[in-house]
Amino acid sequence: LVNERKAERGCEGRLGLLNLGNTCYMNASLQCLSHTRLLREYFLRKEFLYDLNNKGRVAFALSSLFHELWSGEPRKPINIDDLRKTFNNISPNFTEGVQHDAHEFLETFLSGLGKDIDRSGVEGGAHCSVPETNEMTDEDAERAVWDAHVKCGNNSVLTHLFTGVFKSTMTCDTCGHRSRTFEPFSGLHLPLPTSPYIKISYNIFTADPANPYQRIVTETSRDSKLSDILSSIPYPTASTPSGYVTPLDTPVTSLRYIPTIYPTDIVRLKVYHRFIKVAPAGVLSGRNCITFDRPVYIGFPTHNFTKEEVEEKVWRASRHMVPDYPSGKELPFTVSQVSEDGMRCKTCPWDKSCFGCQVGE
């Protein structure tokens, strides 16, 4: 792209294009063309009218869009439906209203546009001979290939802006013979550099109620497997939940996520926040159990812990709910043993209507 001069008027060129349903690939490509100065000025000055060799529907549609974008008048985003319909007449593959590759669209669009403004007079699809360049210097060979390409239905402003000549050289390892080829190109496919390592993150459950889930970020080789990650965890007795069925030989590049790791030497207690609501007189059930907020987990590094230790960790995990509660005062809750859903007592039969026996009872 050619560097832009600053717009002299506030909205000149600074307008969006409406998304007509998965047309963001088209909008992005057209905005790039709009901000290529030499191409834009070619259409804004209507110089393309001197190069038309047919009805020029695509050329007129693009010229109209450029005039709207660069009028300098404040307005809403522009609807490109007319240009899209014109383009779809020459390329029906883009009519289904689904997402497409922006580079594929740009190549197809420029190909159709080039036919409208080509000056060579050669019909598309005509056979074009490739010049023999073995005895030429690099400079002469490049010029010969370029001239042949331009004369073969590619003599438009698009060719002069977006096309070059690519030289490739091959050398035989045995005899040392070198061969050259020159060919026109309008796009270079360059690989993105990738690191041989990948970062993997996961959570480890700890016995700290203020930070029960410790975030671990590790860097490992892209060739690693899930088993390599698990073996590197700084807890030799760590395990994954029983519901985690991903095979241990799964490559890390295929993992969508790693579930929380629960060390087997840490006891987990699930804590529900709830209150008992007393129903008005005359109602069949005199009390109702209501849970609120999300349940939290607290951990203990040993299977032997006291009621006071449980209350202390529950209080640390719940302190944010009552930030103004005076310190040193009796705890504003009791700890009870409840069922998995937190609604009933863990030990008493259901007909006792017990909501949970207090710890220590």
Side-chain angles (χ1 to χ4, degrees):
L1 297 180
V2 181
N3 289 334
E4 264 319 309
R5 294 174 298 182
K6 292 185 178 180
E8 296 178 359
R9 294 188 294 270
C11 297
E12 193 174 31
R14 302 178 183 179
L15 287 174
L17 304 178
L18 288 177
N19 192 330
L20 304 179
N22 291 321
T23 60
C24 52
Y25 68 93
M26 184 181 299
N27 295 356
S29 301
L30 293 174
Q31 289 282 18
C32 287
L33 294 179
S34 169
H35 287 79
T36 303
R37 181 175 59 83
L38 295 179
L39 178 66
R40 181 182 70 247
E41 292 179 352
Y42 172 78
F43 281 96
L44 292 180
R45 295 172 181 172
K46 298 187 178 181
E47 297 174 6
F48 74 97
L49 295 176
Y50 299 99
D51 297 329
L52 289 178
N53 55 35
N54 54 37
K55 294 182 179 180
R57 292 190 178 94
V58 178
F60 277 109
L62 185 62
S63 175
S64 176
L65 175 62
F66 283 179
H67 277 86
E68 287 189 86
L69 284 170
W70 293 88
S71 66
E73 299 176 1
R75 54 176 298 172
K76 295 180 179 179
I78 298 172
N79 190 323
I80 62 168
D81 192 47
D82 290 340
L83 185 147
R84 183 183 65 162
K85 291 178 179 178
T86 301
F87 172 70
N88 287 341
N89 289 332
I90 65 171
S91 182
N93 294 334
F94 292 86
T95 61
E96 63 271 23
V98 298
Q99 188 61 265
H100 288 279
D101 180 73
H103 181 258
E104 180 184 0
F105 162 78
L106 189 59
E107 285 188 331
T108 308
F109 182 82
L110 291 179
S111 175
L113 179 62
K115 294 176 182 178
D116 283 357
I117 56 177
D118 179 59
R119 308 163 187 160
S120 65
V122 179
E123 294 291 336
H127 175 72
C128 299
S129 60
V130 179
E132 182 62 45
T133 60
N134 290 335
E135 304 300 326
M136 298 182 183
T137 64
D138 285 357
E139 184 177 351
D140 291 340
E142 178 185 346
R143 171 56 60 182
V145 170
W146 174 262
D147 291 342
H149 178 70
V150 169
K151 293 177 182 178
C152 191
N154 299 294
N155 189 14
S156 72
V157 66
L158 301 179
T159 302
H160 294 277
L161 284 177
F162 302 130
T163 304
V165 176
F166 183 80
K167 172 191 172 184
S168 60
T169 304
M170 295 185 63
T171 304
C172 178
D173 293 335
T174 303
C175 66
H177 175 72
R178 300 179 65 186
S179 62
R180 304 170 308 169
T181 57
F182 294 86
E183 54 183 345
F185 73 95
S186 58
L188 286 176
H189 299 270
L190 302 177
L192 294 175
T194 57
S195 170
Y197 300 96
I198 185 174
K199 287 187 177 181
I200 298 293
S201 61
Y202 53 89
N203 291 327
I204 288 184
F205 183 76
T206 71
D208 182 4
N211 183 28
Y213 296 99
Q214 181 182 357
R215 188 73 166 175
I216 302 294
V217 179
T218 183
E219 191 173 66
T220 184
S221 169
R222 289 183 177 271
D223 299 329
S224 300
K225 303 183 183 303
L226 175 60
S227 56
D228 300 322
I229 298 296
L230 297 180
S231 63
S232 67
I233 293 174
Y235 289 87
T237 57
S239 65
T240 56
S242 59
Y244 187 54
V245 295
T246 302
L248 294 179
D249 60 350
T250 302
V252 293
T253 53
S254 301
L255 291 173
R256 296 184 62 185
Y257 75 101
I258 296 180
T260 300
I261 305 300
Y262 297 99
T264 54
D265 57 352
I266 293 182
V267 180
R268 283 191 304 151
L269 294 183
K270 190 176 185 180
V271 178
Y272 285 95
H273 300 100
R274 61 180 197 166
F275 64 90
I276 306 301
K277 182 178 181 180
V278 179
V283 178
L284 181 61
S285 178
R287 298 189 305 164
N288 289 322
C289 178
I290 300 176
T291 60
F292 61 95
D293 205 6
R294 295 181 179 181
V296 297
Y297 287 93
I298 59 175
F300 295 88
T302 175
H303 286 75
N304 299 318
F305 45 87
T306 65
K307 172 185 176 182
E308 288 73 20
E309 291 175 329
V310 174
E311 290 178 339
E312 178 187 357
K313 290 204 171 188
V314 170
W315 178 232
R316 290 178 61 187
S318 309
R319 188 73 172 82
H320 64 282
M321 296 184 181
V322 282
D324 298 330
Y325 194 80
S327 59
K329 193 175 180 181
E330 183 180 356
L331 297 178
F333 63 87
T334 58
V335 179
S336 302
Q337 302 179 60
V338 298
S339 57
E340 182 63 26
D341 60 3
M343 302 301 292
R344 301 179 306 277
C345 182
K346 182 179 180 180
T347 57
C348 295
W350 67 272
D351 57 348
K352 281 195 173 184
S353 299
C354 180
F355 290 119
C357 296
Q358 292 190 22
V359 174
E361 289 184 350

